[in-house]
Amino acid sequence: MDVITPKRLRITLKTMRALLFIGLLVLVFLSTIILSIVLYAKWQGPPSLTVPQSTIIYASDGTKIGELHNGQKRYWVPLDDISDYALQATVAIEDQSFFEHNGFDYKRIAGAALADLKAMAKVQGASTITQQYARNLFLHHGKTWERKAKEAFYTIRLEQNYSKEQILEGYINTIYYGHGVYGIEAAANYYFGKSAKDLSLAEAALLVGIPKGPSTYSPYVNQEKAEARQEIILKTMKNEGYITANQLDAALREELVYTKKESKQQKGIAPYFQDAVMESVADLLQIDEEAIQTQGLKIYTTLDITMQETAEKLMNSSIDQSSDIQAGFVALEPSTGHVKALIGGREYDKSPFNRATQAVRQPGSAIKPLLYYTAIENGFTPSTEMKSEPTTFKYDNGKATYKPSNYNGYYANDFITMLQAIALSDNIYAVKTHMFLGMDKLVKSGEQFGLKTKMKQIPSTALGTSPVRLIDLVNAYGILGNGGKKIEPTFVTKIEDASGKLIYKSSKEKEQILDEQAAFVTTHMMTGMFDPKLNDYTSITGQTIASTLTREYAGKSGTTSTDSWMVGFSPQIVAGVWTGYDKGKSINLVQERSYAKKIWANFMEESLEGESVKAFRPPDGVVGVYINPASGKLATKDCPVRRLTYFVEGTEPTEYCKEHKSNKKSEDKAKKEKNDKEEGLFEKLFKWW
């Protein structure tokens, strides 16, 4: 047995004092470090709570048409918009001491450490809601000491600067619920097709159980395990006093109805339109696509869902399903430029290339209204005559020649008016007009009308050989239709940030860029495409659809070997259709050449059904007179055809048509001779009787 001597006792006491001193030094050192961390955290101030959120796109009536989330669906809703059951279940299962601790649950940490030591493995977690929120906000989920240190630091900052309610709100809006879904609102939508505020007790408990292991507890992965964990959470809620035994029993008996998984695979409404919206927002806000997708924006668009559905239906039903011909469609409001419907191709999944906004194609005769507006502005009138006959044009100081032809090689071989030329799509008249004005005039007009592709100064430009985009040409027609006010294709009316603050609103003021009178005269001439009165020597270009139209429309078709166009408008809407093959394949079938006109005519009629019938209203400064379309002169009672036609005031014809007077005299003479002959025979018979 060892004997403790006084000397050994002194050594032991000395050692104990030294150890105590060292312990005190360590304690002071650790306290200093902790205090420094706390003070530094306080000095750093509140950390930003900004997290990626899904951007939502709305139609003009407020209907959600799509969401942009970069593979992650995220929404942020305040606590008041979250079911109390979801909040209670979260606290009950994740952090029962949440409202008492300062960010760290030391009792729970000790218990978890003891459990891990016994099992010699990581079997129990001790992270509080605040710690998990810090991890969701700022950190990756790796199990490194560096990550744990940063997590602790951010936890302190959160607890110092935010209330428990703010922390709980942040946590439940950022936790992962599987399948790319973040936050309780996105989860409620994804699994049950409802908002978080409408969750039942049973639904809330099911959702709160998923974050423990989404690959295990998602009902779409393993419904049995998901509902087993739901039961654990419900019983925990009862033990913690959040619900009664009766509520527990009712929740366990409730049959959960999940949204159908296949519905999540459906593409959004008007996918080509949504792509155009993305490009527009990127330009308006000067941010990239990823930022748009994750900033939680609310984008309010111009889309009219009914018009979009009508256009899609007509495209599907009008085009032979076995054909690989492509199509583009745009409809917009002439008064504002608001794009109401847009289709960029027949199958978005196979080809997201947007033929309405990206494809550059030759418009053919559909360019002529811009040419004839330019002519009216430069002194031409609907009565201006030129001879339609085979013609070879010289240009480039006589070094080059161009010999256009009319459709099917048919010419009047006589003088025709501009009114006839636009309705009959006479190419000779168009090129003569173009050359007479100077080829630079149409190029400048194209820029004035907002065409983004530059035209060439060559004779064939009058016949649409310079390519354009469908949306630009439809917009140009819209400028004609609204009397010459500047509009641009508009997809977005306003944008709000994640907090609901308005950050963009479209302008309503429109600048007058065209001569209003010349624009109206051109518009009214364009109604002649559907007017059988102008059928003087060949068929009008709109005769195949004229019988289906019940309103006044202005329009123009265009045809090349590879493209078929139809663009036209009423006072309320302007629409354009392009059909053709992507790789320049020729359109050979007559049926395929009719698609554009057929789709356009049916769309205009169906989209305006139920709307009041409106006519194009002449502005001040124009005069309407009845003329003989063939001669362009004022019509008399003897003219077989009389058409109301508008002119810029002061340019209307003053001379009356005379060519039918001699014909009238001959007809009267023949009629009189016939009557005399019949009367003589009658008299003879009468006398005999």
Side-chain angles (χ1 to χ4, degrees):
M1 180 176 176
D2 290 337
V3 178
I4 299 177
T5 63
K7 182 178 180 181
R8 291 184 66 182
L9 182 61
R10 283 196 299 273
I11 293 172
T12 302
L13 290 172
K14 188 176 181 180
T15 302
M16 289 177 65
R17 282 196 296 270
L19 290 173
L20 182 61
F21 179 71
I22 292 170
L24 287 172
L25 283 177
V26 170
L27 185 61
V28 170
F29 178 71
L30 290 175
S31 299
T32 302
I33 290 176
I34 292 170
L35 181 62
S36 299
I37 290 172
V38 171
L39 291 174
Y40 180 67
K42 191 70 175 175
W43 177 75
Q44 286 275 294
S48 170
L49 303 184
T50 301
V51 296
Q53 297 181 50
S54 293
T55 287
I56 306 174
I57 304 176
Y58 299 95
S60 59
D61 64 355
T63 301
K64 187 175 90 169
I65 62 172
E67 59 181 308
L68 311 171
H69 46 68
N70 199 26
Q72 300 176 355
K73 297 181 179 125
R74 298 177 183 260
Y75 311 103
W76 189 293
V77 290
L79 285 183
D80 290 343
D81 288 336
I82 301 172
S83 163
D84 287 341
Y85 295 132
L87 301 175
Q88 294 164 357
T90 298
V91 173
I93 200 66
E94 295 292 342
D95 189 355
Q96 294 169 7
S97 302
F98 172 69
F99 289 100
E100 286 77 48
H101 63 62
N102 63 355
F104 304 96
D105 189 337
Y106 301 107
K107 246 197 240 185
R108 194 171 168 196
I109 291 172
L114 188 60
D116 291 348
L117 280 173
K118 285 181 179 178
M120 297 302 291
K122 182 73 174 172
V123 295
Q124 190 171 315
S127 292
T128 63
I129 283 176
T130 311
Q131 287 175 282
Q132 292 182 63
Y133 182 32
R135 190 182 313 147
N136 293 338
L137 275 176
F138 312 110
L139 307 165
H140 60 78
H141 289 255
K143 296 180 180 180
T144 64
W145 286 107
E146 181 185 7
R147 196 272 295 164
K148 289 182 180 295
K150 287 182 177 179
E151 179 186 299
F153 180 67
Y154 281 120
T155 298
I156 294 169
R157 289 182 67 191
L158 286 170
E159 288 282 345
Q160 283 181 337
N161 294 283
Y162 295 103
S163 68
K164 289 290 186 179
E165 287 74 17
Q166 288 174 307
I167 293 171
L168 179 59
E169 179 180 304
Y171 168 79
I172 204 165
N173 275 296
T174 56
I175 199 71
Y176 183 53
Y177 289 87
H179 307 286
V181 175
Y182 288 79
I184 190 68
E185 178 71 9
N189 271 279
Y190 185 83
Y191 290 102
F192 296 113
K194 59 173 63 176
S195 295
K197 64 182 177 182
D198 299 322
L199 290 170
S200 68
L201 172 59
E203 291 167 340
L206 186 287
L207 292 183
V208 169
I210 296 174
K212 179 178 175 65
S215 60
T216 301
Y217 298 112
S218 162
Y220 294 141
V221 175
N222 192 318
Q223 186 172 337
E224 186 178 339
K225 286 187 176 181
E227 293 179 0
R229 179 155 172 78
Q230 174 212 36
E231 183 176 348
I232 292 172
I233 292 170
L234 287 168
K235 289 179 177 177
T236 303
M237 291 179 72
K238 190 260 180 186
N239 293 339
E240 290 295 311
Y242 287 114
I243 60 174
T244 65
N246 288 337
Q247 286 177 301
L248 170 64
D249 292 340
L252 290 174
R253 287 195 305 271
E254 182 178 329
E255 185 176 347
L256 298 177
V257 179
Y258 303 104
T259 56
K260 294 180 180 179
K261 285 197 286 185
E262 53 265 28
S263 66
K264 296 168 184 43
Q265 306 304 319
Q266 294 176 357
K267 58 185 178 182
I269 297 170
Y272 289 105
F273 179 88
Q274 290 192 49
D275 285 352
V277 167
M278 286 285 285
E279 292 181 16
S280 179
V281 173
D283 182 58
L284 292 170
L285 302 184
Q286 293 296 298
I287 56 177
D288 60 26
E289 183 175 329
E290 184 176 353
I292 296 171
Q293 291 180 336
T294 58
Q295 286 192 4
L297 304 176
K298 293 180 176 63
I299 303 172
Y300 296 87
T301 74
T302 57
L303 186 75
D304 184 305
I305 292 179
T306 302
M307 286 190 182
Q308 180 70 27
E309 290 174 346
T310 298
E312 290 177 357
K313 177 196 72 174
L314 290 170
M315 185 173 286
N316 290 334
S317 62
S318 301
I319 298 177
D320 187 341
Q321 297 301 306
S322 64
S323 172
D324 60 351
I325 197 170
Q326 274 296 346
F329 177 91
V330 176
L332 59 80
E333 198 173 61
S335 59
T336 61
H338 289 182
V339 178
K340 295 298 181 181
L342 183 144
I343 304 172
R346 292 177 63 194
E347 292 182 283
Y348 182 83
D349 290 341
K350 292 183 179 179
S351 175
F353 177 69
N354 197 328
R355 295 158 188 84
T357 62
Q358 295 174 297
V360 179
R361 309 287 296 222
Q362 292 183 345
S365 293
I367 203 67
K368 289 177 181 175
L370 278 62
L371 170 68
Y372 292 133
Y373 164 80
T374 308
I376 295 293
E377 195 181 29
N378 284 274
F380 280 56
T381 78
S383 292
T384 299
E385 289 185 301
M386 287 187 182
K387 196 169 187 179
S388 171
E389 61 183 355
T391 307
T392 299
F393 297 91
K394 292 183 179 181
Y395 66 104
D396 194 16
N397 295 320
K399 298 175 186 176
T401 61
Y402 175 59
K403 188 175 182 180
S405 61
N406 278 345
Y407 182 67
N408 283 338
Y410 205 103
Y411 305 88
N413 289 313
D414 199 350
F415 285 91
I416 63 171
T417 61
M418 182 189 288
L419 184 61
Q420 288 177 308
I422 192 170
L424 306 170
S425 203
D426 190 278
N427 289 337
I428 305 303
Y429 193 107
V431 178
K432 282 185 176 181
T433 303
H434 181 46
M435 301 290 281
F436 180 87
L437 293 172
M439 293 187 290
D440 62 314
K441 287 284 199 303
L442 180 55
V443 173
K444 291 176 182 176
S445 289
E447 295 172 354
Q448 191 177 19
F449 275 94
L451 301 185
K452 306 300 185 201
T453 49
K454 191 172 179 64
M455 295 182 181
K456 295 180 181 178
Q457 292 190 39
I458 55 177
S460 64
T461 298
L463 306 183
T465 57
S466 289
V468 299
R469 293 181 178 88
L470 173 61
I471 195 165
D472 292 341
L473 192 59
V474 172
N475 188 73
Y477 276 49
I479 293 174
L480 274 177
N482 70 28
K485 294 181 177 64
K486 182 179 181 180
I487 55 171
E488 294 180 347
T490 301
F491 296 92
V492 178
T493 55
K494 67 176 181 177
I495 305 172
E496 295 175 354
D497 65 14
S499 66
K501 179 183 176 183
L502 184 68
I503 57 177
Y504 168 79
K505 189 172 184 179
S506 62
S507 171
K508 291 184 178 179
E509 293 183 9
K510 305 301 174 189
E511 175 190 358
Q512 187 75 36
I513 59 171
L514 301 184
D515 181 275
E516 186 178 12
Q517 289 71 33
F520 178 80
V521 170
T522 307
T523 292
H524 200 263
M525 284 198 301
M526 292 168 67
T527 64
M529 177 183 175
F530 313 108
D531 189 350
K533 294 177 182 178
L534 298 178
N535 184 6
D536 210 39
Y537 72 94
T538 187
S539 61
I540 55 170
T541 52
Q543 70 168 353
T544 57
I545 54 175
S547 62
T548 66
L549 304 177
T550 61
R551 298 167 181 254
E552 185 178 43
Y553 299 106
K556 189 74 191 76
S557 58
T559 304
T560 73
S561 61
T562 57
D563 305 273
S564 181
W565 300 70
M566 180 61 215
V567 187
F569 53 94
S570 70
Q572 297 106 312
I573 196 79
V574 54
V577 185
W578 165 86
T579 57
Y581 290 92
D582 283 339
K583 296 181 180 178
K585 176 182 173 183
S586 295
I587 303 175
N588 296 317
L589 299 176
V590 174
Q591 177 190 6
E592 292 183 338
R593 292 191 177 280
S594 69
Y595 288 151
K597 287 180 183 176
K598 183 178 178 182
I599 293 169
W600 178 86
N602 289 329
F603 173 81
M604 296 300 286
E605 287 292 302
E606 289 191 31
S607 64
L608 291 172
E609 188 176 359
E611 297 287 330
S612 59
V613 177
K614 294 185 178 180
F616 298 108
R617 297 181 62 182
D620 293 338
V622 298
V623 176
V625 296
Y626 283 93
I627 68 168
N628 172 11
S631 67
K633 295 181 175 64
L634 293 172
T636 68
K637 58 181 176 34
D638 300 324
C639 291
V641 178
R642 302 169 73 246
R643 188 183 195 274
L644 178 63
T645 305
Y646 287 88
F647 296 79
V648 175
E649 192 171 14
T651 68
E652 68 273 16
T654 56
E655 185 181 349
Y656 282 89
C657 175
K658 296 177 181 178
E659 63 184 87
H660 298 103
K661 284 192 175 181
S662 58
N663 293 340
K664 175 67 174 172
K665 288 178 180 178
S666 299
E667 289 173 7
D668 289 346
K669 184 179 179 182
K671 187 176 180 181
K672 186 175 184 303
E673 289 176 352
K674 183 180 178 183
N675 289 339
D676 289 345
K677 186 176 180 181
E678 290 176 351
E679 185 179 356
L681 178 63
F682 176 77
E683 287 175 351
K684 288 178 181 178
L685 289 171
F686 179 79
K687 289 176 181 178
W688 176 83
W689 180 80

